[in-house]
Amino acid sequence: MATILSKPEYEESIAASRDKRMAWWREARFGMFVHFGLYSVLGRHEWAMAIENWPVPEYEKLADKFQPKPGAPREWAKLAKAAGMKYMVLTSRHHEGFSLWNSKANPYNSVNYGPKRDIVKEFVEACRENDLRIGFYSSLMDWHHPDGGAAAYDSAARKRFNDYIYALNEELLTQYGKIDILWYDVAAPMQSWEGWNTLEINQRLRAIQPDIIINNRSHLDEDFGTPEGHVSAMNDRDWEACMTFNDLSWGYVDAAQVGPYSYNVQRILRMLATCAGGCGNLLLNIGPAPDGSVPPEAVEPLTAVGNWLAKNGECAYGKLDRNKEGWGSGSGVCAQSKKKNTVYLWNWIWPKDGELVVGGVTSTLKSAKILASGASLKFTQEKYRIIFKDMPKEPQDKIAGVAVLALEFDGEPKTVSFASTPPLNQGKIYR
Ligand code: GLC
C-alpha cells in the first residue's frame, strides 16, 4: 500500500474523485436497507442483546434458530427492484457481532453456525441478478468480540480490535467482486478517528475498491451524511436518510405486535419527495423474518411505490438540482423537485374545484402537464403567480394520491423570497 495520506490530503483526494464515484448514487434516489441477523430470531429489536444484557454464550445459541430459507436474499432483491429501488445495503454484521459471511477473521459466522451458508454471497448474487448496486453495512461496535469493550482503555486490546475490524472489512471488499458502498455504523467505544485508526483503514479499504462510496459514521466525513429516523435535507453535502419501515425497530418485528405504525405508499412517496427536492437519497429498511422472508406489510406499499415510480420516475431519478429556493415546501399541497428548467410539483391535496395556484414564481412558464398521463394543463401567469384552471376535478393519481405536475420554464426556474412578495402573496404555493 502506498504511503498513508494525512487527513487534509486524504480529504482532498477523495473529494477529487467524488463526482465520478458518486454519479450513479446521486441519480439512484432510492435504496433498500436490510437488517438481518440473530436478533431477527428474537423479533423485538436489533439492540436486544445489549438492552437485555444477554450473556454472550446464551446469545450465541440463537444461531441454531437462525435458519433463513434458501433464496431469501433473492426475495428482498426482487422486492427492491419492484419498488423502483436502485441499490441495497445489508447488515453484513450488526453490533451483536455475528457475521453473515464466510469469515476467517470472525469464526462466529453463518457458515460455521446456523444456516451454514454464506448469506452475504447470496445477497450479492441476488443484487447482481436484479441489477442493483451493492452496499455492506458494517458495524464498528462489536458486543461479541472479547476486545470490543476493553478497546476503549487498553491499547493492546484496541490494536487487536482495530485489526479485527479491518480484517472483516477487507474480507467483505475482496471476496465478492465489485462493491459499491461501505456503510459504517456506531463507532463505539472509541470516540475519534484516531482511536479507530480509520484514516489509515479507510485508505487501505479504498485501495481495494477504488470506486467505493463510504458513509460518515467512522468519525470521518467521507462521502455522504446519514440523517437517521428523519428525512431532512443537508444542503452542504451528499446525504441519505435512513428510515425504518415501522418507525420502531430495524430488525424484524411481527406487524401484529406493533399496531398501525407501518408506512403506506403515500408516506413513502412524501419522504422520497423531500429526498428528491434536496438531492438526497432514501434508504428504506426492511427487517426480514427469521426465515428470511420479507415482512408482508412491506410488500404492498413498496410494490405500489414501484408502480408509481414506473409512471413518474422522471421527477425522482436522475441528476436533479437542489431546490434551494424552497418551492412550496411546507405549504401543504405540494413538494417539489427540480431538473434543469423543469419543476416537478408532487401534489397530495388535489384541488377539487379544478384550480391550483403557485405563488412567488418569477420565471416564465412555457408548458405544464400531468407527468404520469402527459395531459397538458392550461394556465395563466401574472406577477408572482401561476394559475392553473380547468384542471381535471378528479384526483389524478389512483395509486398513491400523489400526482406530479411538470412545469417547464423558459430558463432556470426562480421564485421571489417570502419577504419580497406582497403581503397577500405570502405562502409560495397555495390554493
Ligand atoms: C443505529 C442503530 C442501529 C441501526 C442503525 C441504522 O445507529 O444502532 O441499530 O442499525 O442506526 O442506521
Side-chain angles (χ1 to χ4, degrees):
M1 160 92 213
T3 46
I4 300 299
L5 304 176
S6 69
K7 187 159 177 282
E9 286 166 345
Y10 174 59
E11 284 176 347
E12 200 179 308
S13 86
I14 59 173
S17 62
R18 187 165 292 135
D19 284 351
K20 184 171 153 276
R21 287 183 294 108
M22 296 193 72
W24 73 266
W25 189 96
R26 289 173 178 163
E27 303 201 351
R29 203 70 53 218
F30 195 23
M32 178 183 274
F33 213 172
V34 179
H35 273 65
F36 194 46
L38 302 186
Y39 47 83
S40 311
V41 174
L42 290 176
R44 23 189 198 268
H45 195 281
E46 75 285 355
W47 273 69
M49 180 180 176
I51 294 168
E52 299 168 14
N53 264 315
W54 282 67
V56 168
E58 280 299 301
Y59 193 86
E60 281 175 346
K61 290 186 197 145
L62 290 174
D64 299 335
K65 297 193 185 138
F66 182 64
Q67 296 294 343
K69 58 186 175 187
R74 193 166 288 132
E75 239 186 73
W76 316 333
K78 278 193 177 145
L79 180 61
K81 185 77 180 173
M85 291 160 162
K86 304 293 185 189
Y87 62 103
M88 296 184 74
V89 179
L90 170 67
T91 51
S92 64
R93 186 186 112 279
H94 205 263
H95 314 329
E96 65 180 7
F98 189 73
S99 288
L100 297 184
W101 75 96
N102 190 8
S103 172
K104 295 205 173 47
N106 181 17
Y108 182 47
N109 69 53
S110 65
V111 175
N112 291 335
Y113 298 93
K116 305 236 155 87
R117 298 198 329 259
D118 188 326
I119 307 296
V120 165
K121 181 162 177 275
E122 294 177 20
F123 166 76
V124 166
E125 286 167 2
C127 288
R128 296 208 171 110
E129 276 166 26
N130 287 282
D131 198 20
L132 297 160
R133 297 275 189 158
I134 302 165
F136 291 147
Y137 165 108
S138 178
S139 175
L140 286 158
M141 179 159 69
D142 192 306
W143 299 325
H144 182 265
H145 194 280
D147 295 318
Y153 50 83
D154 172 338
S155 58
R158 183 179 317 146
K159 165 87 177 74
R160 284 192 300 269
F161 189 60
N162 284 348
D163 288 349
Y164 161 76
I165 295 288
Y166 174 76
L168 294 174
N169 291 319
E170 184 186 50
E171 287 178 353
L172 286 170
L173 299 191
T174 45
Q175 291 178 192
Y176 303 97
K178 188 166 191 297
I179 301 305
D180 301 292
I181 303 164
L182 176 60
W183 212 103
Y184 280 126
D185 194 22
V186 185
M190 280 76 78
Q191 299 299 325
S192 65
W193 61 264
E194 290 95 336
W196 287 96
N197 199 22
T198 35
L199 180 61
E200 176 178 338
I201 282 182
N202 291 357
Q203 289 181 53
R204 290 168 65 195
L205 294 174
R206 283 186 189 273
I208 304 171
Q209 295 274 350
D211 292 333
I212 203 148
I213 299 170
I214 303 182
N215 75 348
N216 67 339
R217 294 195 180 181
S218 64
H219 292 299
L220 290 172
D221 288 344
E222 295 291 351
D223 293 317
F224 65 94
T226 50
E228 174 175 326
H230 56 100
V231 185
S232 337
M234 300 173 84
N235 282 326
D236 52 347
R237 66 174 316 186
D238 290 294
W239 60 278
E240 176 198 66
C242 52
M243 300 294 289
T244 57
F245 207 85
N246 54 30
D247 222 358
L248 293 168
S249 162
W250 299 87
Y252 174 69
V253 283
D254 185 329
Q257 294 172 272
V258 300
Y261 279 103
S262 302
Y263 292 127
N264 65 18
V265 53
Q266 190 183 96
R267 284 199 61 193
I268 297 169
L269 288 178
R270 282 159 56 188
M271 294 193 265
L272 213 49
T274 308
C275 293
C279 288
N281 286 357
L282 177 63
L283 186 65
L284 186 56
N285 178 75
I286 62 161
D291 72 353
S293 54
V294 161
E297 70 277 10
V299 175
E300 192 256 52
L302 285 182
T303 310
V305 169
N307 292 339
W308 188 93
L309 283 166
K311 297 201 171 115
N312 295 281
E314 187 184 315
C315 66
Y317 301 124
K319 197 172 172 339
L320 300 174
D321 299 313
R322 238 173 245 266
N323 164 52
K324 289 204 188 104
E325 305 210 26
W327 277 68
S329 52
S331 70
V333 306
C334 294
Q336 69 299 306
S337 52
K338 215 165 131 181
K339 197 182 272 174
K340 296 192 174 137
N341 293 350
T342 301
V343 170
Y344 300 96
L345 297 181
W346 306 44
N347 170 276
W348 35 73
I349 302 181
W350 191 259
K352 58 177 186 272
D353 55 3
E355 188 174 310
L356 187 133
V357 182
V358 179
V361 184
T362 54
S363 320
T364 306
L365 184 60
K366 269 177 39 182
S367 66
K369 64 178 182 188
I370 295 170
L371 184 61
S373 67
S376 61
L377 296 171
K378 282 191 255 165
F379 62 89
T380 54
Q381 185 162 18
E382 21 181 274
K383 199 175 181 188
Y384 302 132
R385 5 169 49 198
I386 299 169
I387 303 162
F388 296 97
K389 285 210 163 102
D390 306 327
M391 297 187 32
K393 294 201 173 65
E394 280 292 297
Q396 288 298 289
D397 180 54
K398 303 276 184 283
I399 301 177
V402 182
V404 177
L405 314 187
L407 317 186
E408 198 198 342
F409 290 88
D410 68 348
E412 211 214 315
K414 294 259 188 245
T415 55
V416 282
S417 73
F418 180 80
S420 59
T421 49
L424 283 175
N425 233 358
Q426 285 171 358
K428 286 207 173 147
I429 291 183
Y430 57 92
R431 277 236 329 100

